[in-house]
Each structure stands twice: as C-alpha cells, then as structure tokens.
Amino acid sequence: MSQLQPERGWLLIMALPAASVDTPVSSLTFILSLMMIILVAVLALVAAGVGYLTADYLYAPVEQLRRATHEVAEGNLDKRVEVGTGDEIAELARDFNLMTERLRQSQQRLAGWNEELRLEVEQRTEDLRRLQTGLARADRLSSIGQMTAGVMHEIGNPLAAIKTKIQVAEEAEEFSESYRRLLDEIVS
C-alpha cells in the first residue's frame, strides 16, 4: 500500500435493547455506592475507635497530671500520680512524684529549722530576761552601795571628829577611871 491511501478496517455495530445494558450498570452503580457508604462508615468507626484509644492513652494521664499539679500547688505534697503507659508520660509522672517528694522533704527540713530557730530565740530571750533582771539587781545594789557610802560618809565624818576629840581629851585631862572606861567604850 502506498502511503497516501488510508488503511481500511472493519467496524461492527450491534444494537441491543437499553434495558439489557442499563440494568447491570444501575445494579453495579448501586452496589458500588453501597460499598462506598459501608467503607465510609467503617472508616468513621475506625477513626472514632482510634480517637477514643488515643484519648484514653494520652488525655487521661495528662489530665491526671494536670489535676495533681493543682493539688500540689494548693499544698498537698503527699499527692502521687501513677501512670502505667510505659512511655514519656509515665516518665513525666515519675519525675512529678520525685519532685513532690523532694518538695515535701525540703518543707520538712524548713519546718525543722524553723522549730530550731524558734527554740533558739526562746532561749536567747530567756537569757536576755535573766541578764536584764541581773542588771536591774546590780543597778539596785549599786544604788544602795552609793547611798550607803554617802550615808557612811555623812555619819563617819562627825563620828571621826567626835572620836578624835575624845582621844585628845583623854590625853589632855585627867578623868576618873569610870569616865575613862566610858570614853574608851565610846571610842571603840
């Protein structure tokens, strides 16, 4: 054949009734639609199941940790969190428990130090009270001593003068023995 001539082929045309073609196509379309609906429903159920398991696996332990942090913030240092997931969330729960235990121990140490400090302050206050009482007594004794010294000085000067005059009189004049004994008693 030459290149200018087109190739010739055979064409077969058949005529069938429309119902014989449309019924199988409609049935196939219905079955495919039904299968698609079932597939979407199964996928939705699987997604819901995965969502529930994810929430149960992730959300519940995280929520438990969140509630525990609020309790610890309110002062409950005995709060513990038990998470059995065996992953990072369980490690976080262990770290949380370790942190609260250390906080509790620190709080106990601080309470012990506060008690020691309170006892030391009480002891020092009592010591100061005793010292103050002693100082007040010493001050009173000092005042009494000064007053006594002043009184003794005021009494001693005239007495010394009297004694001196009696001694001079004894040497200068002659007294009877009874007067002399009286003067000796006065001097002594």
Side-chain angles (χ1 to χ4, degrees):
M1 289 203 166
S2 85
Q3 292 199 3
L4 296 174
Q5 275 189 342
E7 276 187 43
R8 292 187 179 217
W10 295 92
L11 179 63
L12 176 64
I13 298 180
M14 290 180 52
L16 292 175
S20 66
V21 174
D22 285 343
T23 301
V25 170
S26 294
S27 294
L28 186 59
T29 303
F30 175 74
I31 290 172
L32 287 175
S33 297
L34 186 61
M35 286 176 61
M36 191 62 96
I37 291 171
I38 291 172
L39 181 63
V40 167
V42 167
L43 286 175
L45 287 173
V46 167
V50 167
Y52 176 77
L53 291 175
T54 301
D56 188 45
Y57 184 77
L58 292 177
Y59 178 76
V62 170
E63 180 61 20
Q64 186 180 6
L65 279 167
R66 189 189 66 77
R67 275 188 256 119
T69 56
H70 286 292
E71 285 187 45
V72 168
E74 291 174 3
N76 180 8
L77 295 179
D78 293 325
K79 181 65 180 173
R80 296 290 174 263
V81 177
E82 300 302 326
V83 175
T85 57
D87 59 1
E88 291 85 3
I89 295 175
E91 288 178 26
L92 182 62
R94 281 191 296 275
D95 291 345
F96 175 85
N97 292 338
L98 180 64
M99 176 193 68
T100 55
E101 179 60 27
R102 287 183 179 165
L103 281 172
R104 189 180 62 72
Q105 290 171 354
S106 295
Q107 190 178 43
Q108 287 174 342
R109 278 195 308 270
L110 282 174
W113 292 341
N114 283 340
E115 182 61 21
E116 288 175 19
L117 185 59
R118 185 188 65 76
L119 292 174
E120 184 69 23
V121 166
E122 283 179 4
Q123 180 63 40
R124 298 296 176 162
T125 302
E126 183 59 33
D127 291 347
L128 284 174
R129 223 177 271 128
R130 278 196 306 267
L131 285 173
Q132 198 173 26
T133 302
L135 284 174
R137 184 171 180 255
D139 191 37
R140 286 192 307 268
L141 290 175
S142 173
S143 296
I144 290 171
Q146 288 175 353
M147 188 172 73
T148 302
V151 168
M152 292 305 290
H153 179 72
E154 293 300 322
I155 292 173
N157 282 345
L159 288 177
I162 292 170
K163 178 181 175 186
T164 303
K165 287 183 183 183
I166 290 173
Q167 287 173 341
V168 169
E170 274 182 336
E171 290 176 10
E173 300 189 17
E174 301 226 358
F175 293 106
S176 70
E177 193 56 40
S178 63
Y179 281 128
R180 206 170 282 285
R181 268 189 263 134
L182 182 65
L183 290 176
D184 284 340
E185 282 181 38
I186 291 172
V187 167
S188 62

